[in-house]
Each structure stands twice: as C-alpha cells, then as structure tokens.
Amino acid sequence: MTVENYLAEHSSELEQQRNDVSLTRYTGRFAPSPTGPLHFGSLITAVASYCDAKAQHGKWLVRIEDTDIPRIYPGSESHILRCIDAFQFKPDAEIIFQKDRLELYEAILQQLQQQDLVYACQCTRKMLGSNHIYAGTCRNLGLDFAEQAIRVKVSDQDIYFQDRLQGQQCSNLTQDLGDFVLKRRDGIINYQLAVVVDDYLQGITHVVRGADLLDNTARQIYLGQLLGYPRLNYMHLPLAMNAQGQKLSKQNLAQALDLTQASQLLQAAFTALNQPPITLDTPARMLLQGIQQWDASRIPVGTTLHGCYL
Ligand code: GLU
C-alpha cells in the first residue's frame, strides 16, 4: 500500500486524531513500552509529564509503545492500564497502542523510500561488532528492501536543542549517531520511527521523559525534520537509581509498582522530583495538589536521582 492510499483510506481517522487535541496548546504524553511492569522510575515520568501538562492547562495522552512484539513482557500492558487507573491519572484521549498502527508506519517508510532518504541494510549484528556508529556499508549498494533492515541516511549536520532541564545539547549526525535503523530485518518497526510519527499525529508539543532517552532526541528531531513535522519541546528527567547505583529497569529487576500503595508511591515520586510536600490523601487529590504547586524548576539538576530506593 502506498502512503497516498493509506492516508486517503484513513484520512478521517487521522484528521480526528489531530483535531482531538488542540495544537495551539500544550499537549504532553506518557509513552511506556510494555517490556516489563511499570516501576518507580516510570511513575516519576508519568507524574512529571502529567503535572507539567496540567499545570499549563494542557492535555496529557497515553500511548503504549508496543511495536517490539518479541520484547513484550506478559501482563505488562494490563499492569500499565491498571496503574493509570489506580494512580487516577486522567488521559485526555483514548489510549493508543502502536501495534495497531503498523500499516501507518509502513506507509511513512514508503514515503521516505520514495524520497530516497532510506536504504536497505544487510549487516548483521555480528558484522557490526561493537561499532555503535554505523559506517554506512550498505548505503550505496542499492539492496532490495524485502527482508532487510531499513536505515535512514543522516547528513553531516549538527542538531542543537535546548532541553528544559539538561540545557543546551548538540550532536553531529554523522560523527555521533550515523545512519540509524527504522525497521529491523525481522520486520519490527523501530521505536525511533513510531515515536516521531505518533508524536506528530497526536499533536504532541512537549516531551517529558527519562534522561536515558536524551541521546535519541537528535535522531528524532532529524527524522521529524525529514518528514516536515514541527519541533517539540523537551525535558529529560533525572533517572531514579537503585541502591547499587544502576537506573531502575526491568533488567535489574526493579520492583513493579504496587497498586495497593498508590498514595505512598505518589508521595515518594513528588519528593523525588523535589516538589513541595503533598498532603497524603487519595491519589486524585494528591495529583490535583501536585498540579497546583508544580514547579519544574525545582526538579533536581543532572541525569540521576539518588536516595529513592523503591
Ligand atoms: N517507550 C519509551 C520507553 O518506555 C519512551 C518513549 C518516549 O518517551 O519517547 O522507554
């Protein structure tokens, strides 16, 4: 299917998605990947993105980033949905799931292919070894796109952006990042593509997420630029660490959020974000109070948060 056909077939649905959110005001989002149950680090991101949006009278959307089907951890999608309910977050639109939108990402890939902005790559992980920056081996081979990874061509360009917490950032696309994968050889659409397309289609204006994603931002800005999408505003939050000094993640067995402890966990998240004290009460009222007294300038500076061992 060509992008024109896809867009024509889904035009009213896509139009509706863009109209559901007002583009003239703050629209934020929380976009977890269901690769494990949500943990305290995820809660910090959810709370900060929610309060930052609501304090600016904006909207807040939830998107489940589940294109990487082999990495979905059983039960984690339902844990995410139960968390949204238990912590009493109120998304301003229906929650979307990226695995229902694969045709859309394919259509965008075809558009990039027609513009000669992507190429097929047959390099295996083994061939790439420990090189993190792709050397462009397949760039001019003109390989057939079927059953190969698809990479976007980057240009020798500096991407600058001002992060609200982490300050001025700059990466050179060729030297620091290299041509990056948009679709894997096994057919999985990469996060980089899906996140850029959906932030645009959902009318997102502000991204508040963990500092582990800071390095991806230049790639996403570049891809958005190729697709003609407006630039977003970024705030990358310091990451909650465990007692061993590692960031909380499924890999190091971060504890799943315990829904029976929602108020205590919310209190701890506001404390980690260095917000004024919250009166312990129901999650809905705590969030409301958190929004009223939200002050992003109080969030600790840096990329890690210590002393919140949950
Ligand atoms: N899905 C990504 C994650 O869970 C976050 C995406 C984003 O906020 O841009 O790490």
Side-chain angles (χ1 to χ4, degrees):
M1 182 186 279
T2 65
V3 70
E4 288 79 14
N5 287 347
Y6 183 90
L7 296 177
E9 217 172 85
H10 293 76
S11 62
S12 57
E13 185 192 320
L14 295 173
E15 194 58 20
Q16 185 61 37
Q17 277 173 22
R18 305 259 306 145
N19 289 341
D20 276 351
V21 287
S22 155
L23 298 182
T24 54
R25 71 179 208 205
Y26 187 129
T27 302
R29 57 24 166 220
F30 174 53
S33 301
T35 49
L38 293 189
H39 50 70
F40 187 63
S42 333
L43 182 63
I44 290 181
T45 304
V47 166
S49 59
Y50 189 74
C51 293
D52 201 60
K54 298 288 174 181
Q56 296 187 55
H57 309 288
K59 298 193 175 187
W60 182 80
L61 311 182
V62 176
R63 178 172 76 226
I64 310 291
E65 301 208 317
D66 51 1
T67 56
D68 195 348
I69 292 162
R71 286 189 61 220
I72 295 179
Y73 182 81
S76 58
E77 295 208 334
S78 82
H79 183 252
I80 295 172
L81 301 179
R82 281 185 286 118
C83 284
I84 301 293
D85 261 7
F87 289 92
Q88 299 183 7
F89 291 110
K90 302 271 180 281
D92 290 294
E94 213 178 302
I95 297 179
I96 66 168
F97 292 76
Q98 289 187 327
K99 69 171 178 307
D100 299 337
R101 300 160 66 81
L102 298 179
E103 267 184 85
L104 171 59
Y105 312 129
E106 291 286 352
I108 302 289
L109 267 180
Q110 282 191 18
Q111 176 186 325
L112 291 169
Q113 190 179 333
Q114 280 155 14
Q115 294 170 302
D116 196 28
L117 295 168
V118 292
Y119 60 94
C121 170
Q122 63 186 359
C123 296
T124 58
R125 203 170 282 204
K126 205 166 156 198
M127 285 154 77
L128 297 176
S130 58
N131 297 335
H132 294 303
I133 301 172
Y134 183 60
T137 318
C138 296
R139 205 189 233 237
N140 299 313
L141 298 185
L143 297 170
D144 192 87
F145 280 74
E147 290 170 38
Q148 303 288 14
I150 298 179
R151 287 184 187 266
V152 63
K153 298 176 182 172
V154 300
S155 53
D156 185 10
Q157 185 186 335
D158 289 329
I159 300 276
Y160 287 92
F161 68 96
Q162 184 68 29
D163 187 272
R164 283 169 60 202
L165 271 182
Q166 309 296 339
Q168 171 93 18
Q169 308 289 315
C170 176
S171 313
N172 180 277
L173 291 171
T174 319
Q175 286 160 29
D176 302 329
L177 305 172
D179 296 343
F180 54 95
V181 173
L182 300 185
K183 183 180 175 179
R184 296 194 324 225
R185 180 199 285 265
D186 61 2
I188 299 288
I189 296 290
N190 199 322
Y191 153 70
Q192 309 290 358
L193 176 66
V195 77
V196 170
V197 170
D198 283 338
D199 279 343
Y200 172 66
L201 288 175
Q202 292 193 287
I204 301 300
T205 58
H206 289 66
V207 171
V208 175
R209 61 186 178 190
D212 51 340
L213 294 164
L214 194 56
D215 286 351
N216 286 301
T217 308
R219 292 187 181 92
Q220 293 165 16
I221 291 175
Y222 174 68
L223 201 50
Q225 198 174 289
L226 291 182
L227 291 164
Y229 301 163
R231 270 244 192 165
L232 309 179
N233 180 298
Y234 292 95
M235 176 156 80
H236 286 88
L237 303 165
L239 301 174
M241 310 301 266
N242 66 19
Q244 288 74 44
Q246 305 156 315
K247 81 165 182 144
L248 298 185
S249 70
K250 186 187 131 211
Q251 287 72 23
N252 51 46
L253 307 175
Q255 204 181 314
L257 290 173
D258 175 353
L259 304 188
T260 65
Q261 301 290 314
S263 297
Q264 289 81 350
L265 286 164
L266 267 182
Q267 181 78 277
F270 280 114
T271 305
L273 289 161
N274 192 34
Q275 297 301 299
I278 302 278
T279 327
L280 195 61
D281 197 80
T282 63
R285 281 202 274 219
M286 293 174 74
L287 282 174
L288 214 54
Q289 189 185 350
I291 293 164
Q292 278 158 4
Q293 49 192 43
W294 179 249
D295 182 356
S297 71
R298 292 179 59 124
I299 299 173
V301 174
T303 53
T304 53
L305 279 176
H306 293 277
C308 45
Y309 305 138
L310 283 154

